[in-house]
Amino acid sequence: MKYAGRMEGMQSSEIRELLKLTAQPEIISFAGGLPAPELFPVEEIAKVTTDLLAKEGRQLLQYATTEGRPSLRAKIAKRMADKYHTEVDPCDILITTGSQQMLDFCGKLFINPGDVVLCESPSYLGALNAFKAYEPKFIEVPTDDGGLIPEELDKILSTTPNCKFIYVIPDFQNPTGRTWSMERRKAVMEVVNKHNLPVVEDNPYGELRYEGEILPSLKSLDTKGLVMFLGTFSKIFAPGLRLGWVAAEHSVFEKFVQIKQSADLHTSNFDQGVVDAYMENCDLDQHVKEIVALYKHRRDVILQAMEDNFPEGCTWTRPEGGLFLWLTFPEGVSALKVFNKCIEAKVAGVIGDAFYPNDKTDRSMRINFSNMPDERIIEGIQRMAKAIKEAMA
Amino acid sequence: MKYAGRMEGMQSSEIRELLKLTAQPEIISFAGGLPAPELFPVEEIAKVTTDLLAKEGRQLLQYATTEGRPSLRAKIAKRMADKYHTEVDPCDILITTGSQQMLDFCGKLFINPGDVVLCESPSYLGALNAFKAYEPKFIEVPTDDGGLIPEELDKILSTTPNCKFIYVIPDFQNPTGRTWSMERRKAVMEVVNKHNLPVVEDNPYGELRYEGEILPSLKSLDTKGLVMFLGTFSKIFAPGLRLGWVAAEHSVFEKFVQIKQSADLHTSNFDQGVVDAYMENCDLDQHVKEIVALYKHRRDVILQAMEDNFPEGCTWTRPEGGLFLWLTFPEGVSALKVFNKCIEAKVAGVIGDAFYPNDKTDRSMRINFSNMPDERIIEGIQRMAKAIKEAMA
């Protein structure tokens, strides 16, 4: 069979093979990004689903509108105002099959082969893969501990044609765990406004803040309708249901609706109803509080374990929220060598190289801390420390 | 914002506007393709969902594998053998977010801009729209009452470069309601084998047969791994859950898995579990029998009403199954004029033009008969008869 040219550009088989290794049994894996299943509100979901089916089962199981369940869109708009200080009209919210689907749609809406997509360096692997299907050129914008560096963005935009959008995760970034400062947010929006650059603001972890004050979303600072805000229920409710959303300027929203119709008609009406009923009848805020308390504790445990075990020269970020931190090995140490030693020692993270679209070799590893009990975190970090020391020897 | 070139090729705004008119309140609409909601097994779904959440809630609500729930893939393989005489390895089955998603994936996997996609003339609007996002040229293969005409296909393939696949619905086609004869199936597979042409066999209605014997799927006649079989739970269970599947040769399956991972990670694990548990604990066969009995009755009611009311010169198909029939007006009568008269008379079908990818003006209308009680079908057909007569006057 003769496939389309775009298939060649999709994820490198090398990274795929490395990721497969992390899924072997007996491995303590910090490679995933899974929520803690012990917190899923299973009983409440059973209760609201039973009630919902009794109340509106026939409508719930039928085809539905592409835009999404109206009462859920309204609740999302309210939540964006309450939690992200971001005022959005419910009519500008499209409910999607997880926020991963919106990454695919952004590629589809904007990218002609050869067009430029900008992203933080490093950036989220799943987004890069989604965009790759549309054959862009990636330009990585340098970052530091404060987030994206606006001057660097301005330089690139001033000299590069066909920049279609920038993809960013300002809060608890994947993979680094970093959060953009208030100053950076304002400065980036100034640059973006100057060049009329569309912005895909991915915010899967925003509500999972363990310290400090919530910062305004780029969307809330947007005066020109340039920002598309991507949200999800995967981290505050449950990822098995595949529910995300985009809030975008209305003409852009309409394009996404058109794409959505061809892509899967609409998001599961059953799943939309279940989340809507849960938000109506249960206490999502309280639930998120419990998630935050547990993940904050696990972050503290992993940071202490790294402090206690990792050799001199290793550095890592101390995220204020989210699911990930970013571990960097001393200069001269090969991350691939560490990765292989880790697999031998039955522990895994995701090798940093995976997060650079332009085949960069890095000295880093992404570490997830949301999904394991304390003793397993500590055991895993001890194994990893041993592997790092072996690779350094 | 500057969108990608592919957005220009997506569904014509003219057809979109016409479709919107059919959704007005007070209209008796034969335009949709909705299952009868009164048959949805609401109580059983509530029961199995409660049990399932109690048994494996934490796993059910978590991220899951891209390929799909293993026990559901096994059940689908068994059902394809039992109902479609089609032997498939469960490892070659990918579960998708409705079968609409697979239409998008076929476009993504195969089509470079300018490549040729073949389809029956006319063909399913939703498929054509999904493919259009990848900028193909469409070549429509002539059809008659027996289905696709193999000699015409052979002629086209012998003279046309870059034919990437053919999209077909051999059973109770959308929009015509026609079913390919056994001879045609064999003859088309011979042509396809001769030219090594991949085949997308869409089979959403196969189990909804009201008379005659089930005919073998193209997939079951496939000796070269060319056929991708698309199935769905939307018509035999419930469309609100968005559950479809593809069965394809393993190397093609693997490509679809890769595409699926970028598109939405995996299909709702919750929805997959619910259908799986329903199939495990309830009687899907009995449920399908009830659907078949009701739709057969409604088909008979609409055929009789058309016989009783439509003016001389109108013709229509008499489908052996599925949800649709194809109404053709007498020569010289404009379908657009009929359509507009219908809207005035508060009744609607889908104008035939919508089902031709290459802007053909037709004298036909697609009529759905699955979704309304008898008296509403009769009232709707009477209104439509009046509208046709006015347009003919």
Side-chain angles (χ1 to χ4, degrees):
Chain A
M1 296 204 180
K2 277 187 225 146
Y3 301 128
R6 71 180 64 83
M7 294 305 296
E8 284 160 36
M10 290 182 77
Q11 189 182 12
S12 82
S13 54
E14 202 182 326
I15 296 290
R16 284 172 70 87
E17 292 312 309
L18 292 181
L19 288 176
K20 270 186 206 163
L21 292 176
T22 69
Q24 294 177 104
E26 287 173 40
I27 279 191
I28 296 183
S29 178
F30 300 106
L34 303 188
E38 60 268 38
L39 294 186
F40 292 149
V42 178
E43 290 76 21
E44 290 92 333
I45 291 176
K47 172 81 174 70
V48 298
T49 304
T50 303
D51 295 349
L52 185 71
L53 279 165
K55 205 171 124 198
E56 51 161 299
R58 294 184 198 286
Q59 199 182 327
L60 193 72
L61 297 167
Q62 187 59 285
Y63 283 113
T65 59
T66 301
E67 292 82 351
R69 185 177 166 99
S71 50
L72 182 58
R73 295 165 78 199
K75 284 192 183 66
I76 290 170
K78 185 169 181 314
R79 197 160 187 91
M80 285 186 64
D82 291 352
K83 304 295 169 188
Y84 305 103
H85 307 319
T86 307
E87 299 290 335
V88 175
D89 190 319
C91 295
D92 295 342
I93 291 172
L94 168 67
I95 295 176
T96 57
T97 308
S99 69
Q100 182 68 34
Q101 183 173 56
M102 262 311 300
L103 300 171
D104 179 52
F105 288 1
C106 289
K108 205 167 193 175
L109 179 58
F110 287 104
I111 307 172
N112 289 317
D115 279 349
V116 172
V117 168
L118 301 153
C119 64
E120 292 163 279
S121 180
S123 185
Y124 169 48
L125 175 63
L128 302 177
N129 283 336
F131 304 150
K132 275 181 184 173
Y134 301 94
E135 304 175 89
K137 247 180 64 188
F138 288 99
I139 296 186
E140 302 172 36
V141 185
T143 60
D144 62 19
D145 277 344
L148 190 90
I149 303 173
E151 296 76 16
E152 298 284 346
L153 177 62
D154 190 34
K155 239 187 279 177
I156 293 167
L157 291 173
S158 302
T159 54
T160 315
N162 298 325
C163 293
K164 297 307 274 284
F165 64 83
I166 184 165
Y167 170 76
V168 293
I169 311 168
D171 295 271
F172 324 129
Q173 200 236 12
N174 183 351
T176 64
R178 286 179 187 140
T179 297
W180 296 14
S181 70
M182 186 63 215
E183 293 63 36
R184 285 294 174 85
R185 289 168 198 249
K186 285 186 181 159
V188 167
M189 284 311 294
E190 269 174 39
V191 174
V192 153
N193 281 336
K194 176 178 156 194
H195 297 275
N196 278 313
L197 181 74
V199 177
V200 178
E201 177 179 28
D202 196 1
N203 192 334
Y205 323 111
E207 292 199 38
L208 308 184
R209 177 173 275 282
Y210 316 137
E211 60 191 54
E213 278 303 298
I214 188 171
L215 293 168
S217 67
L218 301 187
K219 178 83 184 154
S220 73
L221 304 172
D222 179 21
T223 52
K224 295 179 79 170
L226 290 168
V227 179
M228 295 153 270
F229 180 100
L230 275 49
T232 178
F233 287 103
S234 291
K235 307 303 186 292
I236 58 172
F237 185 69
L241 275 75
R242 314 305 305 122
L243 282 170
W245 73 87
V246 61
E249 198 272 321
H250 199 70
S251 66
V252 182
F253 159 85
E254 283 179 335
K255 291 287 175 192
F256 284 133
V257 171
Q258 205 179 337
I259 290 175
K260 171 86 179 161
Q261 194 164 32
S262 290
D264 63 2
L265 299 181
H266 62 78
T267 298
S268 167
N269 204 30
F270 188 57
D271 293 1
Q272 291 186 64
V274 169
V275 173
D276 191 12
Y278 178 87
M279 291 175 82
E280 188 73 37
N281 299 296
C282 307
D283 190 343
L284 181 56
D285 284 355
Q286 179 55 33
H287 179 59
V288 173
K289 263 187 204 157
E290 286 161 23
I291 296 173
V292 165
L294 182 66
Y295 293 3
K296 177 184 196 304
H297 170 75
R298 288 181 176 173
R299 179 204 61 169
D300 294 342
V301 167
I302 204 168
L303 287 174
Q304 189 60 51
M306 292 169 89
E307 200 65 58
D308 292 344
N309 292 281
F310 280 179
E312 187 97 6
C314 287
T315 59
W316 51 91
T317 58
R318 284 164 181 76
E320 294 179 347
L323 306 184
F324 304 108
L325 60 81
W326 187 242
L327 167 63
T328 302
F329 308 116
E331 216 149 327
V333 175
S334 152
L336 185 58
K337 194 167 171 191
V338 175
F339 178 87
N340 287 328
K341 288 283 177 198
C342 281
I343 297 293
E344 277 174 40
K346 302 287 175 211
V347 63
V350 181
I351 189 163
D353 298 8
F355 302 96
Y356 298 91
N358 299 322
D359 293 331
K360 183 175 163 184
T361 301
D362 192 33
R363 289 180 288 118
S364 300
M365 201 173 262
R366 188 192 74 177
I367 305 289
N368 165 262
F369 54 80
S370 57
N371 188 244
M372 270 180 250
D374 298 4
E375 55 286 3
R376 212 167 150 78
I377 291 177
I378 294 165
E379 167 69 20
I381 290 300
Q382 284 169 347
R383 291 186 192 178
M384 191 172 277
K386 190 169 154 282
I388 296 170
K389 284 171 194 161
E390 282 175 23
M392 286 170 69
Chain B
M1 297 203 181
K2 275 187 226 147
Y3 301 128
R6 70 180 64 84
M7 293 306 295
E8 283 159 36
M10 290 182 77
Q11 190 183 8
S12 82
S13 54
E14 201 182 327
I15 296 290
R16 284 172 71 88
E17 292 312 310
L18 292 181
L19 289 175
K20 269 185 206 162
L21 292 177
T22 70
Q24 294 178 106
E26 288 173 41
I27 279 192
I28 295 183
S29 177
F30 299 106
L34 303 187
E38 59 269 37
L39 295 186
F40 292 150
V42 177
E43 290 76 21
E44 290 93 332
I45 292 176
K47 172 81 174 70
V48 299
T49 304
T50 303
D51 294 350
L52 185 72
L53 280 165
K55 206 173 124 198
E56 52 162 299
R58 292 183 199 289
Q59 201 182 326
L60 193 72
L61 297 167
Q62 187 59 284
Y63 283 114
T65 59
T66 302
E67 292 82 351
R69 185 176 167 100
S71 50
L72 183 58
R73 294 164 78 200
K75 283 193 184 64
I76 290 170
K78 186 171 180 311
R79 197 160 187 90
M80 284 186 65
D82 291 351
K83 305 294 170 189
Y84 305 103
H85 308 318
T86 306
E87 299 289 335
V88 175
D89 191 319
C91 295
D92 296 341
I93 291 173
L94 168 67
I95 295 176
T96 56
T97 308
S99 69
Q100 181 69 34
Q101 183 173 56
M102 262 310 300
L103 300 171
D104 179 52
F105 288 2
C106 288
K108 205 168 193 174
L109 180 58
F110 288 104
I111 307 171
N112 290 316
D115 280 349
V116 172
V117 168
L118 301 153
C119 64
E120 292 163 279
S121 180
S123 185
Y124 169 48
L125 175 64
L128 303 177
N129 283 336
F131 304 150
K132 274 182 184 172
Y134 301 95
E135 303 174 89
K137 245 181 65 188
F138 287 100
I139 296 187
E140 302 173 37
V141 185
T143 59
D144 61 19
D145 278 343
L148 191 89
I149 302 173
E151 297 77 16
E152 298 283 346
L153 176 62
D154 191 34
K155 239 188 278 176
I156 294 166
L157 291 172
S158 302
T159 55
T160 316
N162 298 326
C163 293
K164 298 307 273 288
F165 64 83
I166 184 166
Y167 170 75
V168 294
I169 312 168
D171 295 271
F172 324 128
Q173 200 236 12
N174 182 351
T176 64
R178 287 180 187 139
T179 297
W180 297 13
S181 70
M182 186 63 214
E183 294 63 35
R184 286 293 175 83
R185 288 166 198 250
K186 285 184 181 162
V188 167
M189 284 311 294
E190 269 175 40
V191 174
V192 153
N193 282 335
K194 177 179 155 193
H195 295 277
N196 278 313
L197 181 75
V199 176
V200 178
E201 178 180 25
D202 196 2
N203 192 335
Y205 322 112
E207 291 200 39
L208 308 183
R209 178 173 274 282
Y210 315 136
E211 59 191 56
E213 279 302 299
I214 188 171
L215 292 168
S217 67
L218 301 186
K219 177 84 182 153
S220 72
L221 303 172
D222 179 21
T223 52
K224 296 178 78 171
L226 290 168
V227 179
M228 294 153 271
F229 180 101
L230 276 48
T232 178
F233 286 102
S234 291
K235 307 304 186 291
I236 58 172
F237 185 69
L241 275 74
R242 314 305 306 123
L243 283 170
W245 71 86
V246 62
E249 197 272 321
H250 199 70
S251 66
V252 182
F253 160 85
E254 282 178 335
K255 291 287 175 191
F256 284 133
V257 171
Q258 206 179 336
I259 290 174
K260 172 86 181 162
Q261 195 164 31
S262 290
D264 64 1
L265 298 181
H266 61 80
T267 297
S268 166
N269 204 29
F270 189 57
D271 293 0
Q272 291 186 65
V274 169
V275 172
D276 191 11
Y278 178 87
M279 290 176 82
E280 188 72 38
N281 299 297
C282 306
D283 191 344
L284 181 56
D285 285 354
Q286 178 55 35
H287 179 59
V288 172
K289 264 188 206 158
E290 286 161 23
I291 295 173
V292 165
L294 181 66
Y295 293 2
K296 177 184 195 302
H297 170 76
R298 289 181 174 172
R299 179 203 61 170
D300 294 342
V301 167
I302 204 167
L303 287 174
Q304 189 59 51
M306 292 169 90
E307 200 65 58
D308 292 345
N309 292 282
F310 279 179
E312 188 97 5
C314 287
T315 58
W316 52 90
T317 58
R318 285 163 180 77
E320 295 179 346
L323 306 184
F324 304 108
L325 61 80
W326 186 242
L327 167 64
T328 303
F329 309 116
E331 218 150 324
V333 176
S334 152
L336 185 58
K337 195 167 169 191
V338 175
F339 178 88
N340 287 329
K341 289 284 177 196
C342 281
I343 297 294
E344 277 174 40
K346 302 287 176 211
V347 63
V350 181
I351 189 163
D353 298 9
F355 302 96
Y356 298 91
N358 298 323
D359 292 331
K360 184 175 161 182
T361 302
D362 193 32
R363 290 180 287 118
S364 298
M365 203 174 259
R366 189 192 73 177
I367 305 290
N368 166 262
F369 53 79
S370 58
N371 189 244
M372 270 181 249
D374 299 4
E375 56 286 2
R376 211 167 150 79
I377 292 177
I378 293 165
E379 166 71 21
I381 291 299
Q382 285 168 348
R383 291 186 192 177
M384 191 173 278
K386 190 167 154 282
I388 297 170
K389 285 172 195 162
E390 282 176 21
M392 285 170 70

